[in-house]
Amino acid sequence: MPGQCKRKNRQEAAQRRRDATPGHWEPLFSTQDQAEFRDRVRRLYEEGVATADQLRLDTFCGRLVHPTTYRVSIFVPEARS
């Protein structure tokens, strides 16, 4: 698939940067509405709250009993003393 190698390299580089910085992922919000999820992520980028490598976008696939859930987490580096 075209562009797959570039995307994979970009994701691996972002992961290496996060691994070099100690910290943890903190959930920002969770929703079951995909449109609300996309809107909130777009606003986070526009407001400059976080960059693409600071956000983790999770989609928990739904089944009959549990609906699909979307969650956005932000990487919070540990405070240096």
Side-chain angles (χ1 to χ4, degrees):
M1 188 162 215
Q4 185 174 4
C5 187
K6 287 181 185 179
R7 182 174 54 247
K8 183 178 179 183
N9 289 340
R10 199 170 42 242
Q11 289 172 343
E12 288 174 351
Q15 184 63 41
R16 282 192 299 273
R17 282 193 302 273
R18 283 191 299 267
D19 289 345
T21 306
H24 64 278
W25 290 100
E26 188 172 303
L28 284 180
F29 70 93
S30 219
T31 183
Q32 294 177 356
D33 182 19
Q34 187 178 18
E36 179 185 3
F37 172 73
R38 287 190 310 247
D39 185 51
R40 296 284 289 279
V41 170
R42 181 184 49 79
R43 281 191 280 148
L44 287 171
Y45 288 144
E46 287 176 354
E47 294 169 1
V49 174
T51 60
D53 59 337
Q54 293 172 325
L55 287 180
R56 185 173 72 189
L57 309 174
D58 298 316
T59 302
F60 301 104
C61 296
R63 298 288 186 259
L64 293 175
V65 179
H66 303 288
T68 300
T69 304
Y70 306 95
R71 183 172 66 188
V72 176
S73 301
I74 190 165
F75 186 75
V76 180
E78 290 180 5
R80 297 181 185 215
S81 44

